[in-house]
Coordinates of all heavy atoms in Angstrom, one line a residue:
I8 N 7.8 14.0 -36.9 CA 8.6 14.6 -35.8 C 10.0 14.5 -36.2 O 10.5 13.4 -36.6 CB 8.3 13.9 -34.5 CG1 6.8 13.9 -34.1 CG2 9.1 14.5 -33.3 CD1 6.4 13.2 -32.8
F9 N 10.8 15.6 -36.0 CA 12.2 15.5 -36.3 C 13.1 16.1 -35.2 O 12.6 17.0 -34.5 CB 12.6 16.0 -37.7 CG 12.6 17.5 -37.8 CD1 13.8 18.2 -37.6 CD2 11.4 18.2 -38.2 CE1 13.8 19.6 -37.8 CE2 11.4 19.5 -38.4 CZ 12.6 20.3 -38.1
D10 N 14.3 15.7 -35.2 CA 15.3 16.2 -34.3 C 16.7 16.0 -34.9 O 16.8 15.3 -35.9 CB 15.3 15.5 -32.9 CG 16.4 16.0 -31.9 OD1 16.6 17.3 -31.9 OD2 17.0 15.2 -31.2
S11 N 17.7 16.7 -34.4 CA 19.0 16.5 -34.9 C 19.6 15.1 -34.6 O 20.5 14.6 -35.3 CB 20.0 17.5 -34.2 OG 19.9 17.3 -32.8
G12 N 19.0 14.4 -33.7 CA 19.5 13.1 -33.4 C 18.4 12.3 -32.6 O 17.3 12.1 -33.0
L13 N 18.8 11.9 -31.4 CA 17.9 11.0 -30.6 C 17.0 11.8 -29.6 O 16.0 11.2 -29.2 CB 18.8 10.1 -29.7 CG 19.6 9.1 -30.5 CD1 20.9 8.8 -29.7 CD2 18.8 7.8 -30.6
G14 N 17.3 13.0 -29.3 CA 16.6 13.7 -28.3 C 15.1 13.8 -28.5 O 14.3 13.8 -27.6
G15 N 14.7 14.0 -29.8 CA 13.3 14.2 -30.1 C 12.5 13.0 -29.8 O 11.2 13.1 -29.7
L16 N 13.2 11.9 -29.5 CA 12.4 10.7 -29.1 C 11.7 10.9 -27.7 O 10.7 10.2 -27.4 CB 13.3 9.4 -29.0 CG 13.9 9.0 -30.4 CD1 14.9 7.9 -30.2 CD2 12.8 8.5 -31.3
T17 N 12.2 11.8 -26.9 CA 11.5 12.1 -25.7 C 10.2 12.7 -26.0 O 9.2 12.5 -25.2 CB 12.4 13.0 -24.7 OG1 12.7 14.2 -25.4 CG2 13.6 12.4 -24.2
A18 N 10.1 13.5 -27.1 CA 8.8 14.0 -27.5 C 7.9 12.9 -28.1 O 6.7 12.9 -27.8 CB 9.0 15.1 -28.5
V19 N 8.5 12.0 -28.8 CA 7.7 10.9 -29.4 C 7.1 10.1 -28.2 O 5.9 9.7 -28.3 CB 8.6 9.9 -30.2 CG1 7.9 8.7 -30.7 CG2 9.2 10.7 -31.4
K20 N 7.9 9.8 -27.2 CA 7.4 9.0 -26.1 C 6.1 9.7 -25.5 O 5.1 9.1 -25.2 CB 8.5 8.9 -25.0 CG 8.1 8.0 -23.8 CD 9.2 8.0 -22.8 CE 9.1 9.2 -21.9 NZ 10.1 9.3 -20.9
E21 N 6.2 11.0 -25.3 CA 5.1 11.8 -24.7 C 3.9 11.8 -25.7 O 2.8 11.7 -25.3 CB 5.5 13.2 -24.4 CG 6.6 13.3 -23.3 CD 6.2 12.7 -22.0 OE1 5.0 12.6 -21.7 OE2 7.1 12.2 -21.3
M22 N 4.2 11.9 -27.0 CA 3.2 12.0 -28.0 C 2.4 10.6 -28.0 O 1.2 10.6 -28.2 CB 3.8 12.2 -29.4 CG 2.9 12.5 -30.5 SD 1.8 13.9 -30.0 CE 2.6 15.2 -31.0
I23 N 3.1 9.5 -27.8 CA 2.4 8.2 -27.8 C 1.4 8.2 -26.6 O 0.4 7.6 -26.7 CB 3.4 7.1 -27.8 CG1 4.2 7.0 -29.1 CG2 2.8 5.7 -27.5 CD1 5.4 6.1 -29.1
K24 N 1.9 8.8 -25.5 CA 1.0 8.8 -24.3 C -0.2 9.7 -24.6 O -1.3 9.3 -24.2 CB 1.7 9.4 -23.1 CG 2.7 8.4 -22.5 CD 3.2 9.1 -21.2 CE 4.6 8.6 -20.8 NZ 5.4 9.5 -20.0
V25 N 0.0 10.8 -25.2 CA -1.1 11.8 -25.3 C -2.1 11.4 -26.4 O -3.3 11.5 -26.3 CB -0.5 13.2 -25.6 CG1 -1.6 14.2 -25.9 CG2 0.3 13.7 -24.5
L26 N -1.5 10.9 -27.6 CA -2.3 10.5 -28.7 C -1.9 9.1 -29.2 O -1.3 8.9 -30.2 CB -2.1 11.5 -29.9 CG -2.5 12.9 -29.7 CD1 -2.0 13.8 -30.8 CD2 -4.0 13.0 -29.5
P27 N -2.4 8.1 -28.4 CA -1.9 6.7 -28.7 C -2.4 6.1 -30.0 O -1.9 5.1 -30.5 CB -2.5 5.9 -27.5 CG -3.6 6.7 -27.0 CD -3.3 8.2 -27.2
H28 N -3.4 6.8 -30.7 CA -4.0 6.2 -31.9 C -3.3 6.8 -33.2 O -3.7 6.5 -34.3 CB -5.5 6.4 -32.0 CG -6.1 5.8 -30.7 ND1 -6.0 4.5 -30.4 CD2 -6.9 6.4 -29.8 CE1 -6.7 4.2 -29.3 NE2 -7.2 5.4 -28.9
E29 N -2.4 7.7 -33.0 CA -1.8 8.4 -34.1 C -0.5 7.6 -34.6 O 0.2 7.1 -33.8 CB -1.3 9.8 -33.7 CG -2.4 10.8 -33.3 CD -3.3 11.2 -34.5 OE1 -2.8 11.1 -35.7 OE2 -4.4 11.6 -34.2
D30 N -0.4 7.6 -35.9 CA 0.9 7.1 -36.5 C 1.9 8.2 -36.4 O 1.6 9.4 -36.6 CB 0.7 6.7 -38.0 CG -0.2 5.5 -38.1 OD1 -0.4 4.7 -37.1 OD2 -0.8 5.3 -39.2
I31 N 3.2 7.8 -36.2 CA 4.2 8.8 -36.1 C 5.4 8.4 -37.1 O 5.8 7.2 -37.1 CB 4.8 8.9 -34.7 CG1 3.7 9.4 -33.7 CG2 6.1 9.7 -34.6 CD1 4.0 9.4 -32.3
I32 N 5.9 9.4 -37.8 CA 7.1 9.2 -38.6 C 8.2 10.1 -37.9 O 8.0 11.3 -37.9 CB 6.9 9.5 -40.0 CG1 5.9 8.5 -40.6 CG2 8.2 9.4 -40.8 CD1 5.6 8.8 -42.1
Y33 N 9.3 9.5 -37.5 CA 10.3 10.2 -36.8 C 11.6 10.3 -37.7 O 12.0 9.3 -38.3 CB 10.7 9.6 -35.5 CG 11.8 10.3 -34.7 CD1 11.5 11.4 -34.0 CD2 13.1 9.9 -34.8 CE1 12.4 12.1 -33.3 CE2 14.1 10.5 -34.1 CZ 13.8 11.6 -33.3 OH 14.7 12.3 -32.6
F34 N 12.2 11.5 -37.8 CA 13.5 11.5 -38.5 C 14.5 12.1 -37.5 O 14.3 13.2 -36.9 CB 13.4 12.4 -39.7 CG 14.8 12.7 -40.3 CD1 15.5 11.6 -40.8 CD2 15.3 13.9 -40.3 CE1 16.8 11.8 -41.3 CE2 16.6 14.1 -40.8 CZ 17.3 13.0 -41.3
G35 N 15.6 11.4 -37.3 CA 16.7 11.8 -36.5 C 17.9 12.0 -37.4 O 18.4 11.1 -38.0
D36 N 18.4 13.2 -37.4 CA 19.6 13.5 -38.4 C 20.9 13.1 -37.7 O 21.8 14.0 -37.5 CB 19.5 15.0 -38.7 CG 20.4 15.3 -39.9 OD1 21.0 14.4 -40.5 OD2 20.5 16.5 -40.3
T37 N 21.0 11.9 -37.4 CA 22.1 11.3 -36.6 C 23.5 11.5 -37.2 O 24.5 11.5 -36.5 CB 21.9 9.9 -36.2 OG1 21.5 9.2 -37.4 CG2 20.7 9.7 -35.3
A38 N 23.5 11.7 -38.6 CA 24.8 11.9 -39.2 C 25.3 13.3 -39.0 O 26.5 13.6 -39.2 CB 24.6 11.6 -40.7
R39 N 24.4 14.2 -38.7 CA 24.9 15.6 -38.6 C 24.7 16.2 -37.2 O 24.9 17.4 -36.9 CB 24.1 16.5 -39.6 CG 24.3 16.0 -41.0 CD 23.8 17.0 -42.0 NE 22.3 17.2 -42.0 CZ 21.6 17.7 -43.0 NH1 22.3 18.1 -44.1 NH2 20.3 17.8 -43.0
V40 N 24.3 15.4 -36.2 CA 24.1 15.9 -34.8 C 25.6 16.2 -34.3 O 26.5 15.5 -34.7 CB 23.4 14.8 -33.9 CG1 24.3 13.6 -33.7 CG2 23.0 15.4 -32.6
P41 N 25.8 17.2 -33.4 CA 24.8 18.1 -32.9 C 24.6 19.3 -33.8 O 25.5 19.7 -34.6 CB 25.5 18.5 -31.6 CG 27.0 18.5 -31.9 CD 27.1 17.4 -32.9
Y42 N 23.4 19.9 -33.7 CA 23.1 21.1 -34.4 C 23.5 22.3 -33.5 O 23.7 23.4 -34.0 CB 21.6 21.3 -34.7 CG 21.0 20.4 -35.8 CD1 21.8 19.4 -36.5 CD2 19.7 20.6 -36.2 CE1 21.2 18.7 -37.5 CE2 19.1 19.9 -37.2 CZ 19.9 18.9 -37.8 OH 19.3 18.2 -38.8
G43 N 23.5 22.1 -32.2 CA 23.6 23.2 -31.2 C 24.8 24.1 -31.3 O 24.8 25.1 -30.7
N44 N 25.8 23.6 -32.0 CA 27.0 24.4 -32.1 C 27.3 24.9 -33.5 O 28.4 25.3 -33.9 CB 28.3 23.7 -31.5 CG 28.4 22.3 -32.2 OD1 27.7 22.0 -33.2 ND2 29.4 21.5 -31.8
K45 N 26.2 24.8 -34.3 CA 26.4 25.2 -35.7 C 25.8 26.6 -36.0 O 25.1 27.2 -35.1 CB 25.7 24.2 -36.6 CG 26.2 22.8 -36.4 CD 26.3 22.0 -37.7 CE 27.2 20.8 -37.6 NZ 27.1 19.9 -36.4
S46 N 26.1 27.2 -37.1 CA 25.7 28.6 -37.4 C 24.2 28.6 -37.7 O 23.6 27.5 -38.1 CB 26.4 29.1 -38.6 OG 26.0 28.4 -39.8
R47 N 23.6 29.8 -37.6 CA 22.2 30.0 -37.9 C 21.8 29.5 -39.3 O 20.9 28.7 -39.4 CB 22.0 31.5 -37.7 CG 20.6 31.9 -37.7 CD 20.5 33.4 -37.6 NE 19.2 33.8 -38.3 CZ 18.1 33.7 -37.7 NH1 18.0 33.2 -36.5 NH2 17.0 34.0 -38.3
S48 N 22.6 29.9 -40.3 CA 22.2 29.5 -41.6 C 22.3 28.0 -41.8 O 21.5 27.4 -42.5 CB 23.1 30.2 -42.7 OG 24.4 29.9 -42.5
T49 N 23.3 27.3 -41.2 CA 23.4 25.9 -41.3 C 22.2 25.2 -40.7 O 21.6 24.3 -41.2 CB 24.7 25.4 -40.7 OG1 25.8 26.0 -41.4 CG2 24.8 23.8 -40.8
I50 N 21.8 25.7 -39.5 CA 20.7 25.1 -38.7 C 19.4 25.2 -39.5 O 18.6 24.3 -39.7 CB 20.6 25.7 -37.3 CG1 21.8 25.4 -36.5 CG2 19.3 25.2 -36.6 CD1 21.9 26.2 -35.2
I51 N 19.2 26.4 -40.1 CA 18.0 26.7 -40.9 C 18.0 25.7 -42.2 O 17.0 25.1 -42.5 CB 17.9 28.1 -41.4 CG1 17.6 29.0 -40.1 CG2 16.8 28.3 -42.4 CD1 17.7 30.5 -40.4
R52 N 19.1 25.6 -42.8 CA 19.2 24.7 -44.0 C 18.9 23.2 -43.6 O 18.1 22.5 -44.2 CB 20.5 24.8 -44.7 CG 20.7 24.0 -45.9 CD 21.9 24.4 -46.7 NE 23.1 24.7 -45.9 CZ 24.0 23.7 -45.6 NH1 23.8 22.5 -46.0 NH2 25.0 24.0 -44.8
Y53 N 19.5 22.8 -42.5 CA 19.2 21.4 -42.1 C 17.8 21.2 -41.7 O 17.1 20.2 -42.1 CB 20.1 21.1 -40.8 CG 21.5 20.9 -41.1 CD1 22.4 20.6 -40.0 CD2 22.1 20.9 -42.3 CE1 23.7 20.3 -40.1 CE2 23.5 20.7 -42.5 CZ 24.3 20.4 -41.4 OH 25.6 20.2 -41.6
A54 N 17.2 22.2 -41.0 CA 15.8 22.1 -40.6 C 14.9 22.0 -41.8 O 13.9 21.2 -41.9 CB 15.4 23.3 -39.7
Q55 N 15.2 22.8 -42.9 CA 14.3 22.8 -44.1 C 14.4 21.4 -44.8 O 13.5 20.8 -45.2 CB 14.8 23.8 -45.1 CG 14.4 25.2 -44.7 CD 15.1 26.3 -45.5 OE1 16.2 26.1 -46.1 NE2 14.5 27.5 -45.6
Q56 N 15.6 20.8 -44.8 CA 15.8 19.5 -45.4 C 15.1 18.4 -44.5 O 14.4 17.5 -45.1 CB 17.3 19.1 -45.5 CG 18.0 20.0 -46.5 CD 19.5 19.9 -46.4 OE1 20.1 19.4 -45.4 NE2 20.2 20.3 -47.5
D57 N 15.2 18.5 -43.2 CA 14.5 17.5 -42.4 C 13.0 17.6 -42.6 O 12.3 16.5 -42.7 CB 14.8 17.8 -40.9 CG 16.3 17.8 -40.6 OD1 17.1 17.3 -41.4 OD2 16.7 18.3 -39.5
A58 N 12.5 18.8 -42.6 CA 11.0 18.9 -42.8 C 10.6 18.5 -44.2 O 9.6 17.9 -44.4 CB 10.6 20.4 -42.5
G59 N 11.5 18.8 -45.2 CA 11.2 18.4 -46.5 C 11.1 16.8 -46.6 O 10.3 16.3 -47.3
F60 N 12.0 16.2 -45.9 CA 12.0 14.7 -45.9 C 10.6 14.2 -45.4 O 10.0 13.3 -45.9 CB 13.1 14.1 -45.1 CG 13.0 12.6 -44.9 CD1 13.1 11.7 -45.9 CD2 12.6 12.2 -43.6 CE1 12.9 10.4 -45.7 CE2 12.4 10.8 -43.4 CZ 12.5 9.9 -44.5
L61 N 10.2 14.8 -44.2 CA 9.0 14.3 -43.6 C 7.8 14.6 -44.5 O 6.9 13.7 -44.7 CB 8.7 15.0 -42.2 CG 9.7 14.6 -41.1 CD1 9.5 15.4 -39.9 CD2 9.5 13.1 -40.8
L62 N 7.8 15.7 -45.2 CA 6.7 16.0 -46.1 C 6.6 15.0 -47.3 O 5.6 14.6 -47.7 CB 6.9 17.4 -46.7 CG 6.5 18.6 -45.8 CD1 6.9 19.9 -46.6 CD2 5.1 18.6 -45.4
S63 N 7.8 14.6 -47.7 CA 7.9 13.6 -48.8 C 7.2 12.3 -48.3 O 6.9 11.4 -49.2 CB 9.3 13.3 -49.2 OG 10.0 12.5 -48.3
K64 N 7.1 12.1 -47.0 CA 6.4 10.8 -46.5 C 4.9 11.1 -46.3 O 4.2 10.2 -45.9 CB 7.0 10.5 -45.1 CG 8.5 10.0 -45.2 CD 8.5 8.6 -45.8 CE 9.9 8.2 -46.3 NZ 9.8 7.0 -47.1
G65 N 4.4 12.3 -46.6 CA 3.0 12.5 -46.5 C 2.5 12.6 -45.1 O 1.8 11.8 -44.6
V66 N 3.0 13.6 -44.3 CA 2.6 13.8 -42.9 C 1.6 15.0 -42.8 O 1.5 15.8 -43.7 CB 3.8 14.1 -42.0 CG1 4.7 12.9 -41.9 CG2 4.5 15.4 -42.4
K67 N 0.7 15.0 -41.8 CA -0.3 16.0 -41.7 C 0.1 17.1 -40.7 O -0.6 18.2 -40.7 CB -1.6 15.4 -41.1 CG -1.5 14.7 -39.7 CD -2.7 14.1 -39.3 CE -2.6 13.3 -38.0 NZ -3.8 12.5 -37.6
M68 N 1.2 16.9 -40.0 CA 1.7 18.0 -39.1 C 3.2 17.7 -38.9 O 3.6 16.6 -39.0 CB 1.0 17.9 -37.8 CG 1.6 18.8 -36.8 SD 0.7 18.8 -35.2 CE 1.4 20.3 -34.5
I69 N 4.0 18.8 -38.7 CA 5.4 18.6 -38.4 C 5.7 19.2 -37.0 O 5.3 20.4 -36.8 CB 6.3 19.2 -39.5 CG1 6.1 18.3 -40.8 CG2 7.8 19.2 -39.1 CD1 6.9 18.7 -42.0
I70 N 6.5 18.5 -36.2 CA 6.9 19.0 -35.0 C 8.5 19.0 -35.0 O 9.1 17.9 -35.2 CB 6.4 18.1 -33.8 CG1 4.9 18.0 -33.8 CG2 7.0 18.5 -32.5 CD1 4.3 17.0 -32.8
A71 N 9.1 20.1 -34.7 CA 10.5 20.2 -34.5 C 10.8 19.9 -33.1 O 10.7 20.8 -32.2 CB 11.1 21.6 -34.9
A72 N 11.1 18.6 -32.8 CA 11.3 18.2 -31.4 C 12.8 18.5 -31.0 O 13.5 17.6 -30.5 CB 10.9 16.8 -31.2
C73 N 13.2 19.7 -31.3 CA 14.6 20.0 -31.1 C 14.6 21.5 -30.6 O 14.1 22.4 -31.4 CB 15.3 19.9 -32.4 SG 17.0 20.5 -32.4
G74 N 15.2 21.7 -29.5 CA 15.3 23.1 -29.0 C 16.0 24.0 -29.9 O 15.7 25.2 -30.1
T75 N 17.1 23.5 -30.5 CA 17.9 24.3 -31.3 C 17.2 24.8 -32.6 O 17.1 26.0 -32.9 CB 19.2 23.5 -31.7 OG1 19.8 23.1 -30.5 CG2 20.1 24.4 -32.5
V76 N 16.5 23.8 -33.3 CA 15.8 24.2 -34.5 C 14.6 25.1 -34.1 O 14.4 26.1 -34.8 CB 15.2 22.9 -35.2 CG1 14.2 23.2 -36.2 CG2 16.4 22.1 -35.8
S77 N 13.9 24.8 -33.0 CA 12.8 25.6 -32.6 C 13.2 27.1 -32.3 O 12.4 28.0 -32.5 CB 12.1 25.0 -31.4 OG 11.9 23.7 -31.5
S78 N 14.4 27.2 -31.8 CA 14.9 28.5 -31.4 C 15.4 29.3 -32.6 O 15.2 30.5 -32.7 CB 16.1 28.4 -30.4 OG 15.6 27.8 -29.3
V79 N 16.1 28.7 -33.5 CA 16.8 29.3 -34.6 C 16.0 29.3 -35.9 O 16.1 30.3 -36.7 CB 18.2 28.7 -34.8 CG1 18.9 29.2 -36.0 CG2 19.0 28.8 -33.5
A80 N 15.2 28.3 -36.2 CA 14.5 28.1 -37.5 C 13.0 28.2 -37.3 O 12.3 27.5 -38.0 CB 15.0 26.8 -38.1
A81 N 12.5 29.0 -36.4 CA 11.1 29.1 -36.2 C 10.3 29.5 -37.4 O 9.1 29.2 -37.6 CB 10.8 30.0 -35.0
G82 N 11.0 30.2 -38.3 CA 10.4 30.7 -39.6 C 9.9 29.6 -40.5 O 9.1 29.9 -41.4
L83 N 10.3 28.4 -40.2 CA 9.9 27.2 -41.0 C 8.4 27.1 -41.0 O 7.8 26.7 -42.0 CB 10.5 26.0 -40.3 CG 10.6 24.7 -41.0 CD1 11.4 24.9 -42.3 CD2 11.3 23.6 -40.1
K84 N 7.8 27.6 -40.0 CA 6.3 27.6 -39.8 C 5.6 28.2 -41.1 O 4.6 27.7 -41.5 CB 5.9 28.4 -38.6 CG 4.5 28.3 -38.3 CD 4.2 29.1 -37.0 CE 2.7 29.0 -36.7 NZ 2.4 29.0 -35.3
N85 N 6.2 29.3 -41.6 CA 5.6 30.0 -42.7 C 6.0 29.4 -44.1 O 5.5 29.8 -45.1 CB 6.1 31.5 -42.7 CG 5.9 32.1 -41.4 OD1 4.8 31.9 -40.8 ND2 6.9 32.9 -40.9
E86 N 6.8 28.3 -44.1 CA 7.2 27.7 -45.3 C 6.5 26.4 -45.6 O 6.7 25.8 -46.6 CB 8.7 27.5 -45.3 CG 9.6 28.7 -45.2 CD 11.1 28.4 -45.0 OE1 11.5 27.2 -45.3 OE2 11.8 29.2 -44.5
L87 N 5.8 25.9 -44.6 CA 5.2 24.5 -44.7 C 3.8 24.5 -45.0 O 3.0 25.4 -44.6 CB 5.5 23.8 -43.4 CG 6.9 23.6 -43.0 CD1 7.0 22.9 -41.6 CD2 7.7 22.7 -44.0
P88 N 3.3 23.5 -45.8 CA 1.9 23.4 -46.1 C 1.1 22.7 -45.1 O -0.1 22.5 -45.3 CB 2.0 22.6 -47.4 CG 3.2 21.7 -47.3 CD 4.2 22.5 -46.5
V89 N 1.7 22.3 -44.0 CA 0.9 21.6 -42.9 C 1.2 22.4 -41.6 O 2.2 23.1 -41.5 CB 1.4 20.1 -42.7 CG1 1.0 19.3 -44.0 CG2 2.9 20.0 -42.5
P90 N 0.4 22.2 -40.6 CA 0.6 22.8 -39.3 C 2.0 22.4 -38.7 O 2.5 21.3 -38.9 CB -0.5 22.3 -38.3 CG -1.6 21.9 -39.3 CD -0.9 21.4 -40.5
F91 N 2.6 23.4 -38.0 CA 4.0 23.2 -37.5 C 4.1 23.7 -36.1 O 3.5 24.8 -35.8 CB 5.0 23.9 -38.4 CG 6.4 24.0 -37.8 CD1 7.3 22.9 -38.0 CD2 6.8 25.1 -37.1 CE1 8.6 23.0 -37.5 CE2 8.1 25.2 -36.6 CZ 9.0 24.1 -36.8
T92 N 4.8 23.0 -35.3 CA 5.2 23.7 -34.0 C 6.6 23.2 -33.6 O 7.1 22.1 -34.0 CB 4.3 23.3 -32.8 OG1 4.7 24.1 -31.7 CG2 4.2 21.9 -32.5
G93 N 7.3 24.1 -32.9 CA 8.6 23.8 -32.3 C 8.3 23.6 -30.8 O 7.1 23.4 -30.4

Side-chain angles (χ1 to χ4, degrees):
I8 303 181
F9 73 91
D10 178 40
S11 55
L13 291 151
L16 293 175
T17 55
V19 172
K20 186 182 83 181
E21 297 300 333
M22 191 54 103
I23 294 170
K24 282 188 208 156
V25 176
L26 295 173
H28 306 300
E29 296 289 339
D30 292 339
I31 293 173
I32 296 179
Y33 181 80
F34 173 62
D36 197 3
T37 49
R39 302 192 293 196
V40 68
Y42 284 8
N44 54 7
K45 302 217 162 50
S46 69
R47 190 182 152 76
S48 61
T49 300
I50 295 167
I51 291 173
R52 180 163 49 86
Y53 285 179
Q55 286 169 334
Q56 291 169 342
D57 302 343
F60 168 70
L61 289 175
L62 285 177
S63 77
K64 292 284 164 197
V66 293
K67 61 183 172 185
M68 171 175 197
I69 292 182
I70 301 171
C73 173
T75 306
V76 167
S77 311
S78 297
V79 175
L83 201 55
K84 186 178 179 147
N85 308 319
E86 298 173 20
L87 297 175
V89 294
F91 168 85
T92 184

